Amino acid sequence: SVLDADKQKVTIVFKKKKMCDCCRLSSFCGKGEESMIISNPGLDLNPGDQIEIAVNENKNIQANILAFLLPALVFLATLVFSPSNSELFSFFLAIFLVCLYYILLKIFMKRFNKYFEIKIVKKVT
């Protein structure tokens, strides 16, 4: 629902449990917060209005690739191409690199917060 609105920006409030629990990326994208400010697409909104929001589907696919496919590839590539002959060392190196990948992903997601843009589709009556 709308908490505050003007012609350029809208502050929306939503329950993380309802909106983000089904998404495994809620901890990475930062959109699982209780409230956020998004751009107003030109709708006449007042506090308390109910709205429908959407995330770009292409961005959702990109998010899944960033969060799941690339770390798996980093892990497998490290195991296969590790310069060490020790399997245990290669395993721990792969775990370390995947952890490093997720830390860097978290940092970049905070820096480029607009990457996964949420927009208002319509006002619900």
Side-chain angles (χ1 to χ4, degrees):
S1 69
V2 176
L3 185 63
D4 189 29
D6 61 29
K7 292 185 188 234
Q8 280 93 26
K9 298 181 286 181
V10 178
T11 304
I12 61 170
V13 197
F14 59 92
K15 304 247 186 256
K16 181 177 179 175
K17 183 91 174 145
K18 186 176 180 183
M19 297 291 291
C20 296
D21 273 356
C22 63
C23 177
R24 294 180 186 203
L25 298 177
S26 62
S27 62
F28 287 109
C29 72
K31 301 301 183 191
E33 299 169 358
E34 294 267 337
S35 66
M36 70 174 55
I37 299 172
I38 57 178
S39 62
N40 188 345
L43 296 173
D44 183 29
L45 297 171
N46 299 308
D49 286 345
Q50 298 295 314
I51 56 172
E52 184 178 316
I53 60 174
V55 178
N56 186 332
E57 206 168 306
N58 290 334
K59 301 287 184 184
N60 192 14
I61 293 170
Q62 290 173 354
N64 285 316
I65 290 171
L66 286 174
F68 303 115
L69 182 63
L70 288 179
L73 292 176
V74 167
F75 185 81
L76 291 174
T78 305
L79 288 178
V80 172
F81 299 112
S82 176
S84 173
N85 289 338
S86 168
E87 292 173 358
L88 188 61
F89 176 79
S90 298
F91 173 75
F92 283 117
L93 179 63
I95 293 291
F96 171 76
L97 290 178
V98 169
C99 290
L100 182 64
Y101 172 84
Y102 278 119
I103 291 168
L104 292 174
L105 181 64
K106 181 86 170 175
I107 291 169
F108 284 117
M109 291 304 294
K110 283 186 178 181
R111 182 172 289 171
F112 302 109
N113 199 19
K114 286 264 184 196
Y115 189 74
F116 300 106
E117 187 175 320
I118 292 177
K119 58 184 175 180
I120 298 173
V121 176
K122 66 180 178 179
K123 181 177 175 180
V124 179
T125 54

